[in-house]
Each structure stands twice: as structure tokens, then as C-alpha cells.
Amino acid sequence: MGAAMRRIQAGNALTAFGIGFTVPFLYVYAAKVRELDPMWATCTFVAFALGALLALPFTGRVIDRRGPAPVVIGAAFLASLGSLSLGLSTSVVPILLSALALGAGQAVMQPALATMIVRCSTPSTRTRAFALQFFMQNLGLGIGGLIGGLIVDETRPGSFTLLFGIEAVMFLILAGVIATVRLPQVPAISGALAKAAAQAGGGWKRLLEHKAMVQFCVLGFVLFFACYGQFESGLSAFGTEAAGVSPSVLGFALAANTGAIVVAQFVVLKLVENHRRSRVIALVGLIWTGAWIIAGFSGLGHGSAMMAAAAFITTYALFGIGEAMLSPTLAPLVADLAPEGSVGQYNSAFALVKQMALALGPLGVPLGAGVPMLYIGTFVLVSLGIAWLALRLGKQLTPVQDNPALARGVLVPEPAKAAEAVPA
């Protein structure tokens, strides 16, 4: 790992540490500390997601034309301002505007940092680079949440201001670290090629004409909606209403999810590196199918409360194992699908798909709380659909795109990839 990659990974980890301070306590802060109506407190999350959805469609072209580093720095300053303002705000409008800025800043960082990792890696090292990024993110989030929980106190608004202040400082540290990174010059995503790609019909038009990328975005939407979109919404509602688990069990389940990711990340990496990506994603779909079935068992009410809690915690752990398999698979595949000069555009598009899935995730709450077995059955079918979509995607990928390990022994001419990436 070169010096540039080390700095990127360190900055990414510190940012995750800062985010971990605030994410678990955002609703408590808005509803309990600032005493907003529950509807307005919920709108804080809507504003957060809206900021991401407004910013991401324009992010990719800026990354490809100006470079990822300036975008990360600008986004870090915006997020820092939003975080600090959120910690100082006391009424509805300033809180919503601060959440909007914070959501936009955090969302823009994701594709820009991913593009920097692509620039500092090769196809043979990219899988491990993204696996390390995901590992450090979850470790930072977990440690930040743990320490934040020890600091926070509903009776002391200043404790929340401190948390948001720490998060703001971490974003500024990220900006400082990224400012020192010197990216290697990679012809495939140089400014000249980005401009040429745009003149040839690049940007969103080029992406939407790329059949494999469109299918991959559909698959990504289903993946994120069925997993991340349910963690803090539908699945939580199902656990507390149908399975009858306590909030403390929900906390243990989230900890089990993070723990499974941290423990399994590099264990599953060997599997991911030497197998077809489409089949790895399909296997994740099958693992998550099992997770949803176990979640359903926790809500049947035939066993003890301890058995229900164990089943619920196991569900979250299995989701974590699937996430550990996806982290070194999805992001490198985005980079390998991207034509010359469009890595930032493709990363931004995939980040936008994720944000849309997260924004729609709460649609599962009414089913999870009111019709629990229909909720479970729906997501069992959705998870099986993930496996089917993944295998279908595999037919659209070149052999090296699907399994980069082949590149070590087989030379694939670059023009062939370009022809595959951009249909005539």
C-alpha cells in the first residue's frame, strides 16, 4: 500500500469515527433535546437524504473534470459546516437546513473517495483496497458510536453539541489529509479523456446506454433496499412489534452486525478474490434469504424470549457476513465497468442508487409492524431475486470484469472492454 492509499484510508477511517458519534443519536437529539414534534424530528432524516439526492446527480462530472481530491475537500467543508450548525441549532428550520448540508456533504464524499481509491490501486489490488475501506469504516463507526454513547446525555444539550463538534473536526481533518495526497496520473481518467467522453455523448446518456451498468444499478438498488434500507426501519419495527425484542436486544443485533463485518471481512476476501463476482453476489442473496427466514422465526412467538432474541441477533450477523462479501465486490466492479474518463460519473451514479434505496427503506415499516409475516415473505422473495439478478448480470460482464483473477494469466485487449462498455 502506497503513501497516498494509506492517507486516503486513514482519512476515511477518521471520518467514519466522527460520523459514529452522531448517527445513532440524531433522532434523540431532534426529538428529545430540541423538543421537536416527532414528525419534524423524522423530517431531519428526510432532509439528510434529500441533500444527498440533490447533490449526487451533479457530482460525477465534477469528479471526472476537476479530480476527486478537490471534491472530497469541498464536501468535507460542507459536511463540517452542516454538522457544527446542527449541534448549535435549536429550531426546526435551522436543524433541517443543517441536516440538508450534512447529508449532501457526506454523500458527495463517497464517490469521490471511491474514485481516489481507484486511482491509487490496480485491478489486482482494488478488491483488497475496498475491503480495507469497508473494514475501517465499520470499525470507525463502531468505536465512534461506543464512545459517543458514553458522552451523550439527554439532560445536557451541550453533550450533543460536543458530539457534533467532534464530527465537524473529523471532517476538517479529512480535508487536511486529502490535501496532502498526490494521486498518480492515470490516463484512463485524465481530464482530456473525460472531456472527450463528454463530447462523444458522455455523462448520464452514456451511462444509461450501458446495459451492464444499468442492470448493475438495478441489482444495487435491490441489495441496498433489502439490507441497509431495512436496518433502522422495517426490520427494527418487525423486531420490536412482532418479535417483541427489547431496544437493548436491537442494540446487540446492530453490534453483532458490525462484529460480523469486522471478523469476517478478511476471512471472506479470499473467496471473493478467486471467484466470479456475479456468483459471489448471488451467494449473498441466498445468505440473506436465510437471514430473513430466521428473522421470521423470531416473530412466530413459539419459543422463548431468549430464542427470539437469539434469532434476531443471528439475522443481523448474517446480514453482516453478506455485507463483508459485497464490500470488495461492488465498488471495484463499478470501476471496471466505467469507460475511460467516467469513473467519477459511475461511482456517483451508484452512490445515488444507494441513497434512493435508503430513502425508500422506511416503506417497509408498515408491513414490518402491521403485517409481519407478509413483510418477511416479501423480503425472502426479494433476496432470492438478488441471486437471480446477480446471475443475470454475470451474462453481461466480460470474463475479467466478472473475475479479475483471470487478468493475472490472461491478457484481455483494452479495446474489447471499451466496446463492451459503450455499445454502439
Side-chain angles (χ1 to χ4, degrees):
M1 187 190 303
M5 181 68 81
R6 285 196 298 271
R7 293 179 184 182
I8 295 169
Q9 298 285 18
N12 181 72
L14 289 171
T15 303
F17 175 72
I19 294 173
F21 268 86
T22 61
V23 168
F25 314 109
L26 186 56
Y27 182 84
V28 174
Y29 171 72
K32 303 294 184 182
V33 177
R34 298 309 182 192
E35 299 180 343
L36 300 187
D37 181 271
M39 182 191 73
W40 287 115
T42 304
C43 284
T44 304
F45 293 95
V46 176
F48 192 89
L50 183 61
L53 294 176
L54 290 174
L56 283 171
F58 309 99
T59 301
R61 181 162 293 188
V62 178
I63 293 174
D64 289 326
R65 290 192 171 187
R66 304 298 180 187
V71 175
V72 174
I73 293 171
F77 275 103
L78 178 62
S80 180
L81 178 63
S83 181
L84 184 60
S85 176
L86 192 57
L88 297 173
S89 299
T90 58
S91 58
V92 171
V93 174
I95 287 176
L96 294 182
L97 290 176
S98 299
L100 190 76
L102 180 58
Q106 286 191 26
V108 170
M109 284 180 210
Q110 296 175 23
L113 284 169
T115 304
M116 293 187 76
I117 291 175
V118 171
R119 290 278 296 269
C120 294
S121 62
T122 65
S124 61
T125 63
R126 199 163 290 150
T127 298
R128 286 187 173 269
F130 279 104
L132 178 60
Q133 182 200 33
F134 191 66
F135 173 82
M136 297 299 288
Q137 278 182 340
N138 280 275
L139 192 61
L141 286 170
I143 295 174
L146 179 62
I147 298 176
L150 298 175
I151 295 174
V152 74
D153 184 348
E154 288 184 33
T155 64
R156 292 189 301 111
S159 66
F160 285 86
T161 302
L162 175 61
L163 294 187
F164 285 107
I166 292 172
E167 182 183 40
V169 169
M170 291 301 164
F171 287 131
L172 294 179
I173 291 175
L174 171 66
V177 170
I178 295 302
T180 68
V181 174
R182 296 293 176 264
L183 294 175
Q185 294 298 319
V186 180
I189 51 178
S190 66
L193 284 172
K195 185 176 180 180
Q199 292 173 343
W204 287 101
K205 181 177 182 293
R206 193 183 198 192
L207 189 150
L208 292 174
E209 290 176 348
H210 187 175
K211 186 175 181 180
M213 184 60 186
V214 171
Q215 287 192 13
F216 186 47
C217 285
V218 171
L219 172 59
F221 179 87
V222 178
L223 279 166
F224 295 129
F225 180 75
C227 178
Y228 300 100
Q230 302 307 308
F231 270 10
E232 297 178 4
S233 57
L235 191 53
S236 297
F238 170 84
T240 54
E241 299 294 334
V245 301
S246 65
S248 62
V249 171
L250 181 59
F252 278 117
L254 290 169
N257 174 262
T258 301
I261 292 170
V262 171
V263 171
Q265 184 64 84
F266 294 102
V267 175
V268 302
L269 187 57
K270 198 69 174 177
L271 168 71
V272 172
E273 283 184 315
N274 296 313
H275 289 80
R276 293 173 61 179
R277 287 165 167 167
S278 58
R279 293 184 179 179
V280 170
I281 300 172
L283 178 58
V284 171
L286 297 179
I287 291 172
W288 286 358
T289 299
W292 283 107
I293 291 172
I294 292 173
F297 173 79
S298 73
L300 291 176
H302 298 318
S304 65
M306 184 174 293
M307 291 179 64
F312 200 69
I313 291 171
T314 301
T315 296
Y316 273 73
L318 287 174
F319 273 117
I321 292 172
E323 291 174 75
M325 296 170 66
L326 291 176
S327 63
T329 304
L330 300 182
L333 182 53
V334 174
D336 290 347
L337 284 170
E340 294 181 342
S342 297
V343 176
Q345 181 75 57
Y346 274 53
N347 277 325
S348 297
F350 201 68
L352 179 61
V353 166
K354 180 177 181 179
Q355 290 296 330
M356 292 172 62
L358 295 180
L360 295 176
L363 292 177
V365 171
L367 279 180
V371 196
M373 288 303 108
L374 177 60
Y375 175 72
I376 294 296
T378 298
F379 280 97
V380 166
L381 293 177
V382 168
S383 297
L384 291 173
I386 289 172
W388 177 75
L389 286 170
L391 294 176
R392 188 180 177 201
L393 173 66
K395 298 177 182 179
Q396 296 293 326
L397 304 177
T398 65
V400 174
Q401 285 173 343
D402 202 14
N403 186 1
L406 296 176
R408 299 168 191 157
V410 179
L411 181 61
V412 178
E414 194 64 26
K417 177 188 170 184
E420 173 70 19
V422 188

